[in-house]
Amino acid sequence: MRSLASPPREETPMHDHHRLGRELDLFDTDPLLGAGLPFWLPDGAAVRLALEEHIRDEERRAGYRHVCSPVLGKRELYEISGHWEHYSDDMFPPMTLGSEEFVLRPSMCPHHALIYRSRGRSHRELPLRLAELGGMYRSEPSGVLGGLTRVRSIQLNDGHIFCTPEQAADEAAAALAMIHRAYEACGIVAVRHRLSLPGAGGKYAAAPEAWERAGALLADVLRASGVAYEETPGEAAFYGPKIDVQVEDAAGREFTLSTVQIDFHQPARFGLAYTGPDGAKHRPVMVHRSVIGSMERAVAHLIERHGGAFPAWLAPVQLVALPVTDAELPYADALARRAAALGLRAEVVPAERGSLGARIRQARLVPYQAVLGPAEAAGESVALRLRDGRRQGPLPAAEALARITARAAAKDTALWEEAA
């Protein structure tokens, strides 16, 4: 077993996402929807959609093709994939329609396998990288449900790479690198990397040689990436070993946020093939990867990690315009419209909502506050206050908006970049 010292972790106070999620109007629940089925309020949806858009952009740059597939399928589909045999305790019961049984999907990999086999494939098409942000469902017991971290309806950032055996290690390594880049942009710190292997008594697909081969490939990927890792028996998926990227919640409990898996099992079960350079049929390898995991769990972790003070590119409101008096309100409205035209999420909080000091305190989690008095309105400038307490200004409105837009586009945690 390879076990290296973990890198030093940044010490950041953690917060309870259950409490903050409601205080900040990010998400909520209702008994009429049921336990484990939270809904996203506008500010929470803004965070989630910004995260989704960023991951989709990263996937496109990495050569992924986005697909969409149904959230249910015939029971037979999951019998072929092995989910019904190994995972049915976590699936919702079948729904009978006529003479057929349909199931809410617990995973997207069987659907992507069908997309792959929807037509003949050549080795020239490989690696074929498919990605989807879609719904899946788990019949979690009521006693374990809570907030966004344990839910029954999951929106997963999922992806599957169909490749030759020779390409599998490079594709898994690229997926792990993408995970690390996403964590850097989000301000997430991984506490541990785990090589999850089969253990005694588990429900695993029986293919010892494939398991050994997949585990060896993933170990090579971890070694080449230079991260410390531990081998953990009993934590593998039923169809293959995986790399688990572990983080901690506010209570110090460790959980898996992102994964990379190498799977020889499902390509065989679905009869997947490609035509090789020799003209013969060959079996592809399926690399599963989730860059940021489920949107629910990812946003819960971001709430706890940042206490609601999200990186500027993720913040529900990125710029708040604060007119000192009603006289500056038209200028504040115009500034907010200019910001929106640049793709920023901007709001105006008028003087009628309280004193300037009170409004500044209420907007304490907004990355950029534009205080607009008579001088700013007359000169089309802004006096910027940053969330960390720094003040910038006065700046021409066009320059201030351009620099805020640049910081948001940079997708990092720094609020400001000083001019050269």
Side-chain angles (χ1 to χ4, degrees):
M1 180 178 78
R2 178 180 174 87
S3 181
L4 302 177
S6 297
R9 300 211 311 269
E10 175 187 349
E11 294 300 327
T12 304
M14 296 288 278
H15 308 264
D16 178 13
H17 87 274
H18 300 75
R19 176 181 60 81
L20 273 178
R22 286 167 172 79
E23 286 180 5
L24 301 178
D25 285 334
L26 300 176
F27 67 90
D28 210 337
T29 58
D30 192 289
L32 285 177
L33 282 173
L37 299 169
F39 53 83
W40 299 83
L41 299 167
D43 280 358
V47 177
R48 172 181 153 176
L49 291 171
L51 184 58
E52 289 179 12
E53 290 165 7
H54 173 60
I55 297 300
R56 282 197 188 98
D57 286 344
E58 289 292 300
E59 288 170 337
R60 278 190 288 268
R61 292 188 184 98
Y64 284 82
R65 306 290 301 276
H66 289 99
V67 297
C68 300
S69 58
V71 298
L72 76 167
K74 292 169 64 174
R75 171 176 164 171
E76 181 185 358
L77 170 64
Y78 307 105
E79 289 174 342
I80 293 171
S81 70
H83 284 83
W84 190 257
E85 177 185 357
H86 299 287
Y87 202 72
S88 57
D89 290 346
D90 297 303
M91 295 170 63
F92 279 94
M95 298 172 281
T96 301
L97 297 174
S99 61
E100 297 178 319
E101 288 186 325
F102 290 82
V103 180
L104 287 169
R105 68 180 174 193
S107 174
M108 278 182 267
C109 43
H111 296 240
H112 289 186
L114 295 185
I115 290 172
Y116 177 88
R117 78 173 197 182
S118 63
R119 66 176 184 81
R121 304 288 179 180
S122 163
H123 68 96
R124 296 183 181 87
E125 297 177 68
L126 305 184
L128 176 63
R129 306 180 185 101
L130 302 180
E132 179 176 3
L133 194 141
M136 46 187 261
Y137 300 86
R138 305 279 171 87
S139 61
E140 297 276 14
S142 298
V144 303
L145 299 171
L148 294 175
T149 53
R150 292 296 292 270
V151 295
R152 289 171 170 158
S153 175
I154 301 164
Q155 293 295 312
L156 185 70
N157 156 239
D158 208 2
H160 298 93
I161 304 155
F162 300 89
C163 60
T164 69
E166 295 76 20
Q167 294 167 335
D170 286 345
E171 291 299 318
L176 184 60
M178 183 183 289
I179 290 168
H180 291 158
R181 290 195 301 273
Y183 281 25
E184 184 177 2
C186 293
I188 296 173
V189 176
V191 299
R192 189 160 68 106
H193 289 70
R194 194 171 74 184
L195 177 57
S196 294
L197 301 170
K203 294 183 178 180
Y204 303 106
E209 291 183 6
W211 279 91
E212 185 175 346
R213 187 178 180 189
L217 286 171
L218 290 176
D220 288 344
V221 167
L222 285 162
R223 282 192 290 269
S225 72
V227 298
Y229 73 91
E230 299 172 8
E231 293 183 0
T232 310
E235 295 295 332
F238 74 82
Y239 47 79
K242 56 194 174 89
I243 295 171
D244 290 325
V245 185
Q246 304 294 104
V247 298
E248 284 182 355
D249 67 10
R253 294 170 299 210
E254 186 180 298
F255 65 93
T256 301
L257 188 60
S258 310
T259 62
V260 181
Q261 305 160 35
I262 290 181
D263 178 9
F264 293 96
H265 171 72
Q266 289 192 74
R269 293 291 290 257
F270 282 99
L272 305 186
Y274 65 90
T275 303
D278 57 0
K281 295 293 186 182
H282 299 268
R283 184 83 66 212
V285 178
M286 195 172 179
V287 178
H288 307 237
R289 48 98 281 192
S290 181
V291 175
I292 206 71
S294 76
M295 291 299 109
E296 291 79 12
R297 183 166 283 191
V299 173
H301 187 67
L302 288 167
I303 294 169
E304 296 191 345
R305 183 73 188 166
H306 299 293
F310 299 102
W313 66 274
L314 276 172
V317 178
Q318 296 167 308
L319 171 67
V320 61
L322 302 170
V324 176
T325 69
D326 288 342
E328 291 81 46
L329 184 57
Y331 177 54
D333 287 337
L335 183 70
R337 287 194 297 271
R338 290 175 67 181
L342 292 170
L344 295 172
R345 296 181 289 278
E347 275 187 6
V348 177
V349 182
E352 65 184 29
R353 296 194 194 173
S355 68
L356 179 61
R359 286 179 286 149
I360 288 172
R361 288 190 294 275
Q362 290 167 0
R364 67 192 182 282
L365 298 179
V366 178
Y368 307 101
Q369 302 173 357
V371 178
L372 308 174
E376 286 77 25
E380 291 198 2
S381 64
V382 297
L384 275 182
R385 299 172 63 99
L386 307 187
R387 182 173 57 202
D388 59 15
R390 288 179 290 165
R391 300 190 184 192
Q392 308 288 330
L395 290 171
E399 180 183 346
L401 292 177
R403 294 184 69 175
I404 293 170
T405 303
R407 296 316 307 152
K411 299 293 195 321
D412 62 24
T413 55
L415 288 177
W416 201 252
E417 184 176 354
E418 300 300 331

